[in-house]
């Protein structure tokens, strides 16, 4: 085959162009310090780069967003629970202060006011929020734990409790009626009765729809299910001359009408368990279904604790659009904090804000109010003794004064016992809150360890990305120098060859 000068020149131009293309690629690498500028430059590097970048982006999401957000959420939650513990300690100190003999009822009333203010602050922590999300409401982060204003909401609520949660309380019966001036027989003096009770969360409920409980009535060791509609009593309807109107006597006295049933006291929110029925109850939960319409500022939102139904104005049980059902269930908020790894960041209010705290204070207020009323009766009777208009009633009034003194002693004993009980209860509540704080602290520490590990992985992936995509500038300069030298030599050779013609071979 005859090689012409034109063929040689075309070949030389192609080689020179190839060198220039290579020089351009090296020049691009020098400018970007990247191995490739497009996937076709090196598909293996490109594929590996995509995988590493995806993993690095995921690690960045974990370390700089999810984990940081989770740590902040847990920080604020722990601060709120620390506040709860501090408030419980204040309440403990108040109960200690009330559990002494040398203070009067007025001073204990002041202590009660302090306790009620502390209780309000305790539950108000349930409305703590982080970045616009309520911390203690589970998935319902846009809802309030406590009502911030008065509300006309109408709920049907199912509240459950076990037989072990039924309390024993002292009730003073046969209290003196100052309007009926008469000689009292010592056997008719006030006396203390023991009553089995459970306080519902809400007071003022007009109607209890039903109570379902299990009782072993035939002694075979197996509880049978019973559903009843309890009798509703009002303290305003109690007639001192008619023992059957007293709900406490109706469940505790041997001849009481409800010793084998349950009654409800509207003003106190107490369910009174008949003494015979209380002995028959089994360990299964007791369910109380009732309607509650209207909530005051500071009341607990029922959806946080109970199965309930919000009934709208046009409520129709057959029309699901007129109501909303809420079921109490675990609502753990979990963050993705690693590859196939999640961690719980929230604590539900029902786990830390025990309703018993509110009930303790309510019982104490009832006891102090009752004692205060008895002391006022004593003052009135003493004033009547000093009044000449009652000079012919000295025997009757002295008898009543003796009886009211016994009433005061019994009610004072009940109040002191509640203060003593409150001391132990507050210690138990503090331990409970501390347990929740410890649980939160353990999860916080775990998340911090995960964060450290994720940051190490992030560093490793960044190094792998750098090694896969980048080139050292020194290596690029060496390649560029070598190619540039080859290019210049090619130009010289081409220049020498292009000077030749056929005359050189004649």
């Amino acid at each position: 085959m005859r090689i012409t000068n034109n063929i040689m020149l075309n070949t030389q131009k192609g080689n020179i162009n190839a060198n220039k293309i290579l020089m351009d690629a090296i020049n691009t690498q020098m400018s970007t310090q990247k191995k490739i500028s497009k996937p076709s430059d090196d598909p293996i590097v490109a594929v590996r780069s995509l995988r590493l970048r995806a993993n690095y982006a995921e690690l960045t999401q974990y370390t700089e967003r999810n984990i940081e957000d989770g740590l902040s959420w847990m920080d604020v939650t722990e601060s709120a629970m620390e506040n709860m513990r501090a408030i419980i300690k204040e309440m403990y100190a108040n109960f200690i202060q009330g559990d002494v003999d040398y203070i009067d009822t007025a001073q204990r009333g002041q202590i009660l006011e302090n306790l009620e203010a502390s209780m309000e602050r305790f539950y108000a922590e349930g409305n703590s929020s982080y970045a616009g999300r309520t911390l203690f409401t589970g998935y319902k982060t846009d809802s309030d734990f406590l009502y911030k204003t008065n509300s006309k909401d109408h709920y049907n609520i199912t509240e459950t409790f076990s037989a072990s949660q039924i309390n024993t309380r002292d009730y003073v019966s046969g209290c003196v009626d100052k309007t009926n001036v008469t000689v009292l027989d010592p056997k008719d003096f006030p006396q203390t009765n023991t009553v089995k009770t459970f306080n519902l969360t809400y007071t003022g409920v007009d109607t209890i729809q039903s109570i379902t409980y299990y009782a072993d009535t035939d002694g075979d060791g197996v509880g049978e299910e019973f559903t009843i509609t309890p009798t509703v009593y009002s303290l305003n309807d109690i007639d001192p001359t008619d023992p059957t109107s007293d709900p406490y006597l109706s469940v505790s006295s041997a001849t009481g009408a409800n010793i084998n049933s349950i009654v409800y006291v509207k003003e106190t929110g107490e369910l009174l368990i008949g003494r015979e029925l209380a002995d028959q109850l089994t360990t299964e939960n007791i369910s109380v279904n009732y309607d509650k319409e209207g909530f005051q500022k500071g009341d607990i939102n029922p959806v946080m604790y109970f199965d309930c139904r919000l009934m709208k104005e046009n409520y129709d049980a057959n029309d699901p659009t007129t109501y909303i059902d809420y079921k109490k269930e675990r609502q753990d908020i979990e963050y993705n904090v690693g590859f196939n790894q999640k961690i719980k960041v929230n604590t539900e209010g029902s786990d830390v804000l025990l309703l018993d705290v509110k009930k303790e204070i309510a019982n104490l207020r009832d006891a102090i109010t009752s004692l205060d009323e008895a002391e006022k009766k004593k003052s009135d009777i003493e004033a009547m003794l000093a009044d000449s208009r009652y000079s012919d009633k000295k025997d009757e009034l002295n008898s009543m004064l003796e009886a009211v003194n016994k009433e005061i002693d019994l009610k004072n004993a009940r109040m002191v016992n509640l203060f003593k009980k409150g001391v132990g209860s507050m210690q138990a509540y503090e331990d409970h809150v501390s347990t929740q704080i410890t649980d939160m602290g353990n999860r916080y520490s775990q998340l911090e360890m995960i964060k450290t590990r994720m940051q190490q992985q992030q560093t490793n992936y960044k190094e792998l990305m750098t090694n896969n995509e980048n080139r050292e500038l020194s290596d690029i300069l060496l390649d560029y120098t070598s190619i540039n030298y080859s290019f210049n030599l090619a130009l010289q050779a081409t220049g020498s060859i292009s000077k030749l013609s056929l005359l050189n071979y004649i």
Side-chain angles (χ1 to χ4, degrees):
M1 176 180 178
R2 178 175 176 269
I3 304 299
T4 65
N5 284 359
N6 193 44
I7 292 175
M8 293 175 63
L9 288 174
N10 287 337
T11 301
Q12 290 163 4
K13 285 191 293 184
N15 291 336
I16 291 172
N17 191 60
N19 278 337
K20 291 184 70 175
I21 292 172
L22 189 55
M23 284 185 66
D24 179 65
I26 296 297
N27 188 57
T28 301
Q29 288 185 0
M30 191 182 303
S31 301
T32 62
Q33 295 187 35
K34 299 292 182 181
K35 291 181 179 178
I36 61 174
S37 58
K38 55 183 181 295
S40 60
D41 290 345
D42 191 331
I44 294 177
V45 171
V47 170
R48 187 181 295 124
S49 177
L50 289 173
R51 291 175 179 171
L52 292 173
R53 283 179 176 273
N55 290 335
Y56 183 79
E58 193 171 353
L59 286 167
T60 300
Q61 174 70 37
Y62 294 145
T63 56
E64 298 180 9
R65 297 179 181 86
N66 295 18
I67 292 178
E68 288 299 329
D69 190 41
L71 289 172
S72 297
W73 181 294
M74 296 166 81
D75 263 330
V76 178
T77 302
E78 187 172 0
S79 296
M81 290 195 290
E82 289 287 1
N83 291 340
M84 295 176 198
R85 181 161 62 181
I87 293 169
I88 290 294
K89 287 182 178 179
E90 291 177 14
M91 298 175 73
Y92 171 78
N94 284 323
F95 273 104
I96 288 287
Q97 187 180 357
D99 184 23
V100 292
D101 297 328
Y102 55 81
I103 63 175
D104 57 25
T105 305
Q107 291 173 306
R108 286 195 170 98
Q110 182 60 50
I111 293 172
L112 175 64
E113 290 184 9
N114 294 337
L115 285 168
E116 289 183 324
S118 296
M119 179 194 68
E120 290 177 3
R121 289 192 292 118
F122 176 71
Y123 287 105
E125 291 294 331
N127 275 344
S128 299
S129 62
Y130 164 69
R133 296 173 291 175
T134 312
L135 296 173
F136 295 100
T137 54
Y139 299 152
K140 297 178 281 294
T141 56
D142 59 343
S143 301
D144 294 323
F145 189 83
L146 301 181
Y147 281 93
K148 292 183 177 179
T149 59
N150 293 346
S151 171
K152 296 182 180 179
D153 284 351
H154 187 185
Y155 279 94
N156 175 261
I157 300 169
T158 300
E159 185 168 349
T160 61
F161 61 96
S162 64
S164 62
Q165 292 177 279
I166 296 175
N167 298 311
T168 300
R169 64 159 284 188
D170 295 332
Y171 168 68
V172 179
S173 62
C175 297
V176 176
D177 179 11
K178 69 178 182 180
T179 63
N180 182 23
V181 180
T182 184
V183 174
L184 297 176
D185 192 315
K187 67 181 180 62
D188 295 326
F189 277 16
Q191 59 183 351
T192 297
N193 299 283
T194 300
V195 183
K196 298 289 187 179
T197 70
F198 178 83
N199 289 72
L200 294 180
T201 300
Y202 303 100
T203 60
V205 176
D206 291 321
T207 304
I208 305 292
Q209 305 291 355
S210 65
I211 297 179
T212 301
Y213 63 89
Y214 294 83
D216 180 14
T217 57
D218 52 12
D220 62 356
V222 178
E224 302 173 71
E225 182 179 328
F226 296 88
T227 299
I228 64 169
T229 300
T231 304
V232 177
Y233 279 79
S234 172
L235 297 180
N236 296 326
D237 297 332
I238 296 179
D239 182 355
T241 63
D242 180 13
T244 61
S245 68
D246 190 327
Y248 298 92
L249 289 179
S250 76
V251 297
S252 61
S253 66
T255 58
N258 295 298
I259 59 174
N260 199 32
S261 185
I262 301 175
V263 303
Y264 174 69
V265 183
K266 182 167 63 173
E267 288 83 358
T268 63
E270 290 177 296
L271 290 175
L272 308 180
I273 317 296
R275 65 177 191 175
E276 290 186 5
L277 175 60
D279 294 334
Q280 298 171 345
L281 292 176
T282 62
T283 56
E284 285 89 351
N285 283 340
I286 301 166
S287 297
V288 185
N289 182 267
Y290 58 92
D291 285 353
K292 170 67 175 172
E293 185 173 6
F295 294 83
Q296 302 298 313
K297 178 182 177 180
D299 280 347
I300 292 170
N301 191 335
V303 304
M304 304 302 164
Y305 286 90
F306 312 115
D307 292 345
C308 54
R309 169 175 288 185
L310 174 62
M311 297 181 284
K312 301 178 182 179
E313 291 184 3
N314 57 339
Y315 173 68
D316 180 354
N318 297 317
D319 183 1
T321 64
T322 64
Y323 61 83
I324 302 174
D325 282 332
Y326 296 94
K327 186 172 182 60
K328 178 56 183 171
E329 56 189 0
R330 296 300 310 172
Q331 295 186 351
D332 295 340
I333 297 177
E334 296 181 325
Y335 277 23
N336 289 317
V337 294
F339 298 110
N340 298 319
Q341 188 172 13
K342 296 181 179 180
I343 192 167
K344 175 186 172 184
V345 300
N346 73 315
T347 297
E348 291 186 62
S350 56
D351 290 335
V352 63
L353 291 162
L354 298 179
L355 295 174
D356 290 344
V357 177
K358 181 179 181 180
K359 296 173 183 179
E360 293 265 2
I361 306 302
N363 288 335
L364 186 60
R365 169 162 283 285
D366 175 64
I368 292 178
T369 301
S370 180
L371 177 58
D372 184 57
E373 291 173 351
E375 290 180 340
K376 288 178 180 178
K377 279 194 294 187
K378 178 181 177 180
S379 298
D380 292 341
I381 293 172
E382 289 175 338
M384 293 168 71
L385 277 169
D387 191 334
S388 59
R389 292 177 297 174
Y390 294 95
S391 57
D392 59 337
K393 298 287 186 178
K394 297 292 184 181
D395 292 341
E396 291 89 340
L397 290 172
N398 282 321
S399 171
M400 293 173 65
L401 184 61
E402 183 180 357
V404 81
N405 280 330
K406 183 177 181 183
E407 179 182 340
I408 289 173
D409 289 341
L410 294 176
K411 290 184 175 180
N412 185 71
R414 181 196 170 211
M415 180 192 65
V416 171
N417 285 336
L418 287 175
F419 270 108
K420 290 182 181 295
K421 179 176 179 290
V423 172
S425 296
M426 291 303 131
Q427 288 178 317
Y429 300 149
E430 182 184 345
D431 290 343
H432 178 80
V433 175
S434 296
T435 299
Q436 296 296 323
I437 293 174
T438 300
D439 176 66
M440 175 63 72
N442 290 337
R443 286 185 275 125
Y444 188 92
S445 298
Q446 182 183 357
L447 188 53
E448 283 190 318
M449 289 189 291
I450 293 172
K451 177 182 177 181
T452 300
R453 176 162 53 82
M454 290 294 105
Q455 287 176 332
Q456 290 174 346
Q457 290 187 16
Q458 189 181 25
T459 301
N460 292 339
Y461 272 95
K462 189 172 184 178
E463 184 177 350
L464 289 171
M465 285 170 53
T466 300
N467 293 336
N468 180 64
E469 298 176 8
N470 297 353
R471 290 196 64 192
E472 291 291 339
L473 187 58
S474 57
D475 293 337
I476 299 173
L477 287 173
L478 286 175
D479 288 347
Y480 182 81
T481 302
S482 174
I483 293 172
N484 186 55
Y485 184 70
S486 300
F487 176 70
N488 288 327
L489 289 178
L491 287 177
Q492 292 177 13
T494 301
S496 299
I497 294 172
S498 62
K499 294 178 182 179
L500 297 178
S501 67
L502 288 175
L503 294 175
N504 295 107
Y505 300 101
I506 297 174

